[in-house]
Amino acid sequence: MNDMAPINPNSKNPYLKGLYAPVMEEVSADKLEIIGEIPRELHGGYFRNGPNPSSSPKGMHHWFDGDGMLHGVWFENGSARYKNRFVQTHDLKTGGADAMPGIFERSADRDGRTVHYRDTANTDVVYHNGNLLALWYISGQPVAVDAHTLETIRIENFNGKLPRNISAHSKVDATTGELVFFDYALYEPKMWTGTVSATGALTHFQEIELPGPRLPHDMGMTENYTILHDLPVIFSESAIRNRLWQIHVADQPTRFGVLPRKGGAPKWFEFPTCYIYHVINAWEEETPNGTEVVMAACKMVPNGFSPDPQYGAYSAMADVLALRAQPFIWRMNMATGEGREEQLDDAVSEFPVVDSLKTGRKTKHSYHVVFDDCIEQRFSGLVKYNLETGASERHYFPKGVFGSEPVFVAREGGDDGFLITFTTDLAGQSEVHILDTEDMSAAPVARVKLPQRVPLGFHGTWAPGV
Ligand SMILES: [Fe+2]
């Protein structure tokens, strides 16, 4: 098996080596070896997206620049199968690494497209209208992927009706089957949001004016509202002028814009300055003073590391990628306009997930990754939070084994269920671990051996019944 990408071994870029090194082969494997027992009630697919350069980068390479690759494991009747496939984006099919610049470079313009960097669809994956959609963090073309084969179906434009792009972390409301999406532009003081029906019809699209260009990473969705982020980490004026990816923290509040999912003017709520990569979940609560829109998210805190000279020109990248965040809850009263921020815990965690079938509805628990104590982004365990009390329980992987963003699959009729994650060890062996969330500290109920290494990556989803 060819596991080696043609990567310069002398590169100081830690995100091209070892646990992060790309895999070149597209593998399909049935009847995987199982240690333990896969719960019979698990029927569906666990999918995870991530950056996987399809050829050797010629210049400076940012971890975020790699071509999108999906890894999937399907469970049915106690057995498991695996596939991995590149996401066949427009830029991969028309030149891969050479098609467009990466974010260490000056951005480019291209006729008819509003993206300025290589659009890799490498960040996130959601399950909508029977297909997977691979999504990109700078907001790009969504790519529809077959949830049974991982073969790319098409660049998704919803019958030609999608006006622009869709960002990673757009949300699917499993109750209605709708996709609630957001889109942003690097150099324009605008954001966009919209809705696609369960059958793929664009049913709403709206432009939102902003005080300046913004770099949101996520959004919130409740049963009736969309929550957009206006965060103070922005491009400097010279970066915009010179089309460079240089960001700074502006002296301005964090704002959340809450607007009806069906359309309407946002009501803006101001909070103390912070950056947020990932929303845990959002929901609505009725109070004596009116409806509160509640958003739980991981609020960034300093990582406590110093830029490490061993990474050379990549030390700043490594420092930014050493994510550290704490769980917070923001309450926004739609009647009074008042906002309240509460800290759930002071422990560090990130990559939060909830039961994806309940995104936008109140959930009792969330599940986050916890970090190895090092500057590289390595997930050494998982933590389960009670979102009402802040109580938590942890699961650590064996020493030298690192996880991915998991998915949570609920047991029918219960608050608990199963956490599923890819793991990879320092020797290059990957597995899927299935935990029973009733006892987070227990050993996995099943470990599934995988036929190749799954590089550490970004976000995942669960597709029931596929
Ligand atoms: Fe993300």
Side-chain angles (χ1 to χ4, degrees), residues 340-358:
R340 207 161 76 245
E341 179 183 291
E342 301 164 359
Q343 185 161 6
L344 191 69
D345 192 18
D346 58 7
V348 161
S349 66
E350 241 291 346
F351 284 74
V353 300
V354 296
D355 180 348
S356 61
L357 302 182
K358 291 186 178 166

Side-chain angles (χ1 to χ4, degrees), residues 129-180:
N129 189 21
N131 291 327
L132 300 171
L133 286 178
L135 304 172
W136 188 45
Y137 75 106
I138 305 183
S139 198
Q141 294 178 318
V143 182
V145 172
D146 189 305
H148 301 272
T149 65
L150 294 190
E151 300 300 334
T152 294
I153 301 168
R154 59 180 171 268
I155 307 295
E156 184 59 84
N157 60 17
F158 303 109
N159 294 313
K161 297 292 197 301
L162 183 66
R164 290 177 43 92
N165 297 318
I166 291 186
S167 177
H169 298 300
S170 294
K171 310 285 184 213
V172 172
D173 180 338
T175 306
T176 65
E178 289 171 299
L179 172 70
V180 178

Side-chain angles (χ1 to χ4, degrees), residues 58-76:
K58 292 191 174 62
M60 289 277 288
H61 175 80
H62 197 286
W63 192 37
F64 291 173
D65 291 338
D67 297 296
M69 178 178 275
L70 286 165
H71 298 261
V73 175
W74 292 260
F75 306 98
E76 188 170 9

Side-chain angles (χ1 to χ4, degrees), residues 128-129 176-179 195-203:
H128 173 249
N129 189 21
T176 65
E178 289 171 299
L179 172 70
T195 306
V196 179
S197 75
T199 53
L202 183 79
T203 49

Side-chain angles (χ1 to χ4, degrees), residues 10-85:
N10 298 318
S11 172
K12 290 182 182 294
N13 188 342
Y15 288 92
L16 286 173
K17 300 174 181 176
L19 295 159
Y20 311 91
V23 293
M24 290 295 105
E25 199 166 339
E26 295 186 321
V27 172
S28 302
D30 294 331
K31 297 195 178 90
L32 302 173
E33 180 189 345
I34 299 159
I35 300 165
E37 204 168 324
I38 295 174
R40 294 265 155 180
E41 62 216 271
L42 270 187
H43 180 200
Y46 164 45
F47 305 98
R48 206 221 62 200
N49 205 343
N52 197 97
S54 58
S55 60
S56 184
K58 292 191 174 62
M60 289 277 288
H61 175 80
H62 197 286
W63 192 37
F64 291 173
D65 291 338
D67 297 296
M69 178 178 275
L70 286 165
H71 298 261
V73 175
W74 292 260
F75 306 98
E76 188 170 9
N77 295 324
S79 68
R81 65 187 179 91
Y82 164 84
K83 279 179 188 284
N84 69 303
R85 294 290 184 274

Side-chain angles (χ1 to χ4, degrees), residues 123-124 137 168-169 217-218 277-278 351 405 458-459:
T123 312
D124 193 14
Y137 75 106
H169 298 300
H217 186 77
D218 204 338
Y277 278 102
H278 297 122
F351 284 74
E405 177 175 292
F458 299 143
H459 300 288

